[in-house]
Amino acid sequence: MGKPTGFLEYERKNGPVVPEEDRIKGFREFHGMLPEEERRKQAARCMDCGVPFCQSGRMIAGMMSGCPLHNLVPEMNDLVYRGNYEQAYIRLSRTHSFPEFTSRVCPALCEAACTCGLHTEAVATKENERAVIEYAFEHGLVLEPVPSARTGKSVAIVGSGPAGLAAAQLLNRRGHSVTVYERSDRAGGLLRYGIPNMKLEKSVIDRRIRLMEDAGVVFRTGVNVGVDISAKELKSSYDSVILACGASNPRDIKAPGRDAKGIRFAVDFLTEVTKTLLDSNFQDVPTQLAKGKDVIVIGGGDTGNDCVGTSIRLGAKSVIQLEMMPEPPCKRLDSNPWPEWPRVGKTDYGQEEAIRMFGHDPRIYQTTVKEFHKNKNGELNGITIISLEAKRDPETGRMQMVPVEGTEKKLPAQLVLIAAGFLGSQDYVTKDFGVEVDGRTNVKTGQGDHATTVPGIYAAGDMHIGQSLVVRAIAEGRAVAKQVDEALMGYTNL
């Protein structure tokens, strides 16, 4: 695959990136693409490794290793190396619904499991994937086929995130009549409002939605299932219903002073920023949310990083990011061998921008909030943090992070953004449909199954497996589409 000696001849190169001091002036994407000659060299680095772990997509040590969509990565890279982008797109589209999303926001599970990455740097598969899909869009290769005949079966999909969109795409191609319900004013779910525009421009979502609409998928936005329309109505109107509402129940921080004005959940904050930008065609930037404020972001994941980058663009005076866990090592430990997902530290775009703006990494590890402080008007004006240490629980035997008394420190804060993850699905939906949930409030199904405890009702995406990645949600959507199709038709060719 690729050039047999390419991984020996060429070093990895990434596409150009707009400097931090320039990109923080707006909300546009800032990752560019390599020129054609260099891109082909990067694809040439894909080894004839024999066992391509990059496409395995299996859980190892509780973490996903390789692409859960099972994209045939070596074949795609080989076609890019040979300059045959049309065939590369055809190959990629066999297994992937939306490469334009994952090539921007996926942490590249394929690269983490790349055989080349065992001893040197992994093949730049994520950037190659983006080059392929953008070439395909530019040359009119991305078409959403209109079914030549309809099956007479109808499916309602609740939620228009990556799982819902993937399911809608395949079921519509099969000939079923598909209606997607979305409670927000625009389709896309967390792709739309949970991921900032500079990471995924919303025009990328819009062009895909238009293709799906032209092919017959119906999107009903601004309809909150379980509130505006009942589960009973959907079940009586459609042959099957797929719940793909996401794990949208945010984890809170319970500490004294939590009722102070100025404490927000991260996704609510990111949603308001993006909606304001979209509603005004990027003419109205809601700087009032963070300008001149000391911002504290609680949570060290992708959403926390997005809050850091967004706050900087809104003119924050300072940004601090709190992380409960210890700082990860810079290299794999012996206890974390390849091809497991590498539990190593990384500096993402938001942290890079904070370092450039404020002169230091915004992250404080092994710490949490002990107390929120407010003035006489109930407005947040500071927090007290406390250090944490790992100790084994004598009853359960599990390691847990516990406060270290005497390490308290007060920080100024007028805005706190809670990005501590999600607890699972929101119960007004699951209760209305009468589906059972597990201990984490994910919709309960059998192992490897998407059918819920209510006949005709299926679950997919984060609502099914818990908070996860866009690429896993797409894989979930494709899998549930196959199961629903088989249940409706007695067989499936998806």
Side-chain angles (χ1 to χ4, degrees):
M1 293 300 172
K3 187 177 182 181
T5 58
F7 72 100
L8 298 172
E9 297 177 27
Y10 309 124
E11 294 183 355
R12 174 173 171 137
K13 287 186 179 179
N14 297 317
V17 179
V18 177
E20 294 89 346
E21 61 269 25
D22 295 325
R23 70 192 193 216
I24 63 172
K25 297 175 183 177
F27 289 83
R28 297 299 184 185
E29 287 183 5
F30 52 85
H31 286 99
M33 288 190 285
L34 291 169
E36 166 68 8
E37 182 179 356
E38 188 57 52
R39 171 61 53 219
R40 292 176 67 174
K41 288 181 181 179
Q42 292 307 303
R45 296 185 70 244
C46 190
M47 305 168 65
D48 186 6
C49 58
V51 182
F53 289 87
C54 55
Q55 64 191 45
S56 61
R58 63 180 61 210
M59 300 297 290
I60 301 178
M63 298 172 290
M64 181 63 69
S65 176
C67 180
L69 289 168
H70 310 298
N71 293 329
L72 298 183
V73 173
E75 292 188 17
M76 183 199 75
N77 281 325
D78 179 60
L79 289 164
V80 171
Y81 163 62
R82 300 179 189 283
N84 194 339
Y85 283 84
E86 181 173 351
Q87 285 299 318
Y89 166 69
I90 292 172
R91 175 65 270 173
L92 182 60
S93 64
R94 291 285 186 269
T95 56
H96 203 334
S97 294
F98 313 119
E100 66 271 30
F101 301 156
T102 55
S103 62
R104 287 169 165 84
V105 304
C106 185
L109 302 176
C110 52
E111 294 185 17
C114 175
T115 303
C116 194
L118 178 58
H119 297 294
T120 180
E121 290 191 273
V123 176
T125 296
K126 179 179 174 180
E127 291 201 15
N128 292 350
E129 181 180 290
R130 184 179 173 195
V132 168
I133 187 61
E134 292 307 318
Y135 175 93
F137 269 108
E138 183 180 347
H139 290 81
L141 302 177
V142 184
L143 305 173
E144 193 58 50
V146 179
S148 57
R150 289 289 176 180
T151 63
K153 304 293 185 180
S154 61
V155 181
I157 299 176
V158 185
S160 65
L165 291 178
Q169 181 192 64
L170 293 191
L171 289 169
N172 182 70
R173 288 179 180 180
R174 183 70 164 93
H176 305 308
S177 297
V178 180
T179 303
V180 180
Y181 290 85
E182 170 57 54
R183 64 181 177 179
S184 296
D185 60 337
R186 296 175 173 90
L190 283 183
L191 290 170
R192 174 77 62 179
Y193 288 128
I195 299 175
N197 199 75
M198 58 274 192
K199 198 169 175 180
L200 174 63
E201 290 202 3
K202 307 315 168 188
S203 58
V204 175
I205 304 172
D206 293 335
R207 70 181 178 186
R208 180 62 75 168
I209 296 293
R210 284 195 296 270
L211 286 173
M212 295 176 67
E213 286 179 326
D214 291 344
V217 178
V218 176
F219 289 88
R220 294 192 60 188
T221 57
V223 180
N224 193 355
V225 174
V227 177
D228 301 323
I229 186 172
S230 69
K232 183 178 180 180
E233 291 177 82
L234 287 189
K235 287 190 285 186
S236 65
S237 302
Y238 297 89
D239 296 299
S240 295
V241 178
I242 298 173
L243 302 179
C245 310
S248 50
N249 189 20
R251 181 181 284 109
D252 206 348
I253 301 295
K254 302 297 184 182
R258 173 61 181 85
D259 61 338
K261 301 173 185 176
I263 302 174
R264 306 191 61 180
F265 287 117
V267 171
D268 293 342
F269 170 75
L270 295 174
T271 296
E272 182 174 353
V273 173
T274 298
K275 190 174 186 321
T276 301
L277 293 171
L278 294 180
D279 287 348
S280 66
N281 195 25
F282 292 85
Q283 297 304 303
D284 181 11
V285 179
T287 54
Q288 74 280 0
L289 298 178
K291 188 172 184 179
K293 296 180 180 180
D294 298 294
V295 180
I296 304 291
V297 179
I298 303 175
D302 288 340
T303 302
N305 172 70
D306 291 337
C307 287
V308 172
T310 300
S311 297
I312 289 173
R313 283 163 176 75
L314 297 180
K317 178 182 177 183
S318 67
V319 183
I320 295 293
Q321 188 177 11
L322 305 183
E323 169 60 74
M324 288 184 62
M325 303 306 293
E327 183 175 2
C330 59
K331 295 182 179 180
R332 285 183 186 267
L333 300 179
D334 291 341
S335 58
N336 177 217
W338 175 90
E340 289 182 3
W341 172 258
R343 295 190 293 266
V344 297
K346 68 173 183 176
T347 301
D348 212 330
Y349 77 94
Q351 287 119 19
E352 291 174 346
E353 293 162 2
I355 292 169
R356 179 68 179 84
M357 287 295 297
F358 307 120
H360 62 86
D361 195 307
R363 291 168 288 191
I364 302 177
Y365 293 94
Q366 287 187 245
T367 191
T368 191
V369 177
K370 183 177 182 179
E371 185 177 359
F372 298 101
H373 304 289
K374 52 189 175 181
N375 61 24
K376 61 182 180 181
N377 296 321
E379 300 166 331
L380 180 75
N381 61 12
I383 66 171
T384 294
I385 61 174
I386 188 168
S387 297
L388 301 170
E389 64 178 350
K391 283 190 174 181
R392 193 173 300 278
D393 188 306
E395 295 183 4
T396 65
R398 295 180 179 178
M399 297 299 293
Q400 56 184 6
M401 303 301 292
V402 298
V404 180
E405 296 301 326
T407 61
E408 294 86 351
K409 182 180 179 181
K410 189 171 181 180
L411 299 175
Q414 298 83 47
L415 175 63
V416 164
L417 302 173
I418 300 175
F422 297 87
L423 296 174
S425 59
Q426 294 184 303
D427 63 3
Y428 76 90
V429 177
T430 55
K431 288 181 178 178
D432 196 31
F433 279 92
V435 296
E436 291 185 25
V437 297
D438 61 21
R440 297 187 176 186
T441 71
N442 300 324
V443 176
K444 185 182 292 186
T445 68
Q447 183 69 29
D449 193 8
H450 293 271
T452 71
T453 52
V454 178
I457 309 299
Y458 301 81
D462 289 2
M463 194 173 191
H464 179 221
I465 61 174
Q467 182 186 2
S468 190
L469 304 172
V470 169
V471 68
R472 288 196 69 192
I474 294 173
E476 281 273 303
R478 292 175 69 90
V480 74
K482 183 175 182 178
Q483 185 172 350
V484 169
D485 182 44
E486 186 170 10
L488 291 176
M489 304 300 291
Y491 73 100
T492 182
N493 57 12
L494 291 179

